[in-house]
Amino acid sequence: MSSPVPPSPPRVAVVIPAYNEEDTVATVVQVALDFTPEVVVASDGSADLTAEVARAAGARVVELPHNRGKGPALKAALEAATADYVVMLDADLVGLTREHLEQLLAPVLAGDLDMAIGVFEGGGSFASDWGNKLTPNLSGQRACRRDWLLSVPRLGEERWPEPPITDHLRETGARWGYVELGQVRQVLKETKRGFWKGARARTRMYADLLTYRRRKRRG
């Protein structure tokens, strides 16, 4: 009598939307490749070497010809991926390890959550930690099924995908929760672009986030 064939392990991809992140994207890609062989970076019309650096680090790279925003870049990466599950990461993370990705994905694979959302803890940056904790629904570190994320309405239309994802979680009755990512932080916009350019970019981001519901009502 033949032995039963063990089930295949779940296939997981890491998807990384990136815009002008040549200084940090390689490190994020390398950590992701230590976790899974399928890593997709979507360069959102980057004007620097983001695409080249990510490709040299071992990622599959999708290049958007123009800067359209994180939402379209995320959707492009998801469409290029093939795995059943995805871990979504920002390209400007510092302190990330394979263990963080395992922690983020574990409750989804176990069936306890439909989406796990990572929040920073003790990463060494007060602004990064507390900004993430005050608005955890805006975190770019998430794990879920790829088909669920692709089903989010307006995902590829909104510059920032987090508000439509949050709406879809609520509207579908999905189970979500937060996972602490110890010693991880993001490089602040003000650090990457200089104080005034970074502050303007942050202001534009929050203005866009705050007007999401108005755009949604208009259809």
Side-chain angles (χ1 to χ4, degrees):
M1 183 174 179
S2 60
S3 301
V5 178
S8 300
R11 296 188 306 128
V12 181
V14 172
V15 293
I16 307 169
Y19 174 61
N20 289 350
E21 300 291 0
E22 64 180 12
D23 291 338
T24 52
V25 68
T27 300
V28 177
V29 167
Q30 288 161 2
V31 173
L33 284 170
D34 188 43
F35 175 66
T36 180
E38 186 173 12
V39 178
V40 182
V41 171
S43 175
D44 182 26
S46 297
D48 66 356
L49 297 177
T50 292
E52 292 88 339
V53 169
R55 193 174 287 113
R60 187 189 325 160
V61 177
V62 179
E63 294 191 62
L64 280 64
H66 307 290
N67 177 240
R68 297 178 54 204
K70 187 176 177 180
L74 173 61
K75 187 174 182 183
L78 290 169
E79 290 173 341
T82 62
D84 302 314
Y85 294 87
V86 291
V87 174
M88 170 182 162
L89 297 176
D90 288 326
D92 58 354
L93 300 178
V94 177
L96 186 71
T97 67
R98 173 181 177 151
E99 288 70 30
H100 291 127
L101 306 189
E102 292 171 347
Q103 292 164 11
L104 192 57
L105 185 62
V108 176
L109 291 183
D112 298 326
L113 296 176
D114 296 305
M115 176 173 281
I117 303 173
V119 291
F120 303 146
E121 175 58 43
S125 168
F126 177 84
S128 180
D129 273 13
W130 280 101
N132 199 234
K133 287 179 180 177
L134 288 171
T135 55
N137 58 312
L138 299 182
S139 171
Q141 303 8 285
R142 299 173 185 245
C144 66
R145 289 193 61 89
R146 185 173 71 94
D147 56 1
W148 187 94
L149 198 49
L150 277 169
S151 75
V152 173
R154 300 183 63 86
L155 180 70
E157 300 169 37
E158 290 293 322
R159 189 163 188 84
W160 302 100
E162 290 81 10
I165 291 173
T166 299
D167 269 5
H168 201 51
L169 285 168
R170 291 170 176 160
E171 290 165 0
T172 60
R175 300 160 300 161
W176 79 89
Y178 300 107
V179 175
E180 287 191 351
L181 305 177
Q183 306 303 312
V184 181
R185 63 179 177 87
Q186 281 179 293
V187 181
L188 299 177
K189 288 177 172 42
E190 291 81 356
T191 300
K192 291 185 287 189
R193 306 183 187 184
F195 180 79
W196 292 113
K197 285 185 178 179
R200 283 195 294 271
R202 186 176 300 282
T203 299
R204 287 194 298 269
M205 177 183 73
Y206 282 115
D208 195 70
L209 291 167
L210 289 170
T211 54
Y212 162 70
R213 295 203 175 278
R214 185 192 311 161
R215 290 191 300 278
K216 183 184 177 184
R217 286 195 298 270
R218 290 175 179 170

